[in-house]
Amino acid sequence: MKYYPLDICYTDRYSGPMNNTDNRTVIKQAALRLFAHKGYDGVGVQEIVQKCRLTKPTLYHYFGSKSGLFGAVLEEEFARFFGVMGKAFSYEHDIVQTLQTIAVNYLHFAENNGDFMTLQISMSFNPKETAGSDISAPFIEKFYKGLESLFEEAAGDHGNMKNRQTAYSISFIGILNAYYILSRRNGELISNETVLLAVHQFMHGIFS
């Protein structure tokens, strides 16, 4: 993915397979892949340990249960995600520049962390009654609250944005997710022009 000729810097602390191959790490990596592609309900402990070529007692030793494993996976993956997006959410009184920064970081992270992004998007649409949603909900809420705070702060500079932060957060991430899913389906990288267009379309809806 090419970068903007803007003052934007993407810095992910992780950009490839982990070197650590201890059993705990192996289990989490396998679980992330399975949860992403089958959902929490669709994956059993036996399938996870078979993929790892380990045993159930080993999994229970590290995580206690499938829900404990799911929580550990989300905690680690979202920590990396928030580590990248946290700085991007910093508002410097230029909403267009800020949203471009968010878009670059979000989509670049998505392209390099496909399993996590697939899981994160699917969890965002899960009903509250879905198994595992009680574990994932706090992470999803933290993400959207970060965006809402940004839009709430920007409303001080743009009066027409006042009291619309929740709708803006959902709409903006919805646009970025749509571009990510489309690019993944077509096997293409997201270009600078595509991301800029996404932000432009979103901002047009605000300022029109």
Side-chain angles (χ1 to χ4, degrees):
M1 181 176 182
K2 297 178 180 178
Y3 295 108
Y4 294 114
L6 303 172
D7 185 20
I8 295 176
C9 180
Y10 173 87
T11 54
D12 187 4
R13 297 194 302 273
Y14 170 76
S15 59
M18 297 180 184
N19 293 322
N20 187 356
T21 55
D22 64 87
N23 288 342
R24 192 175 191 275
T25 298
V26 169
I27 293 170
K28 286 198 297 184
Q29 289 176 331
L32 173 60
R33 172 61 58 89
L34 290 170
F35 287 141
H37 293 274
K38 293 189 174 184
Y40 181 80
D41 275 338
V43 180
V45 170
Q46 183 61 37
E47 184 175 8
I48 296 171
V49 297
Q50 283 181 338
K51 189 173 183 64
C52 301
R53 297 182 181 179
L54 296 172
T55 63
K56 286 185 179 181
T58 302
L59 185 150
Y60 294 138
H61 169 73
Y62 288 111
F63 304 103
S65 62
K66 186 177 85 167
S67 62
L69 171 59
F70 187 53
V73 168
L74 293 182
E75 184 174 354
E76 180 174 306
E77 295 301 313
F78 269 100
R80 294 194 299 106
F81 178 68
F82 290 138
V84 170
M85 298 306 300
K87 289 184 178 180
F89 283 165
S90 178
Y91 179 59
E92 302 293 341
H93 298 284
D94 186 337
I95 187 62
V96 175
Q97 174 82 29
T98 301
L99 292 181
Q100 287 173 347
T101 302
I102 291 173
V104 167
N105 281 267
Y106 186 88
L107 291 171
H108 189 87
F109 190 93
E111 287 182 337
N112 286 278
N113 299 272
D115 287 336
F116 165 75
M117 192 55 57
T118 298
L119 181 60
Q120 186 262 126
I121 292 174
S122 66
M123 289 189 307
S124 298
F125 292 97
N126 282 344
K128 291 183 178 180
E129 299 77 15
T130 304
S133 62
D134 58 328
I135 301 172
S136 62
F139 296 99
I140 299 297
E141 183 177 359
K142 179 179 178 180
F143 173 43
Y144 279 93
K145 288 297 183 183
L147 261 183
E148 287 180 14
S149 296
L150 164 67
F151 285 118
E152 188 172 14
E153 188 175 357
D157 296 327
H158 307 282
N160 60 329
M161 297 177 65
K162 190 175 181 180
N163 298 325
R164 299 179 180 179
Q165 60 267 23
T166 299
Y168 287 154
S169 299
I170 295 172
S171 298
F172 185 58
I173 292 302
I175 290 173
L176 297 185
N177 284 343
Y179 278 110
Y180 166 68
I181 292 171
L182 183 61
S183 68
R184 188 175 176 88
R185 181 177 299 170
N186 295 336
E188 301 173 349
L189 294 179
I190 299 174
S191 67
N192 289 357
E193 292 75 17
T194 300
V195 180
L196 285 171
L197 178 61
V199 175
H200 175 76
Q201 290 174 335
F202 177 78
M203 293 308 303
H204 179 73
I206 292 177
F207 292 140
S208 61

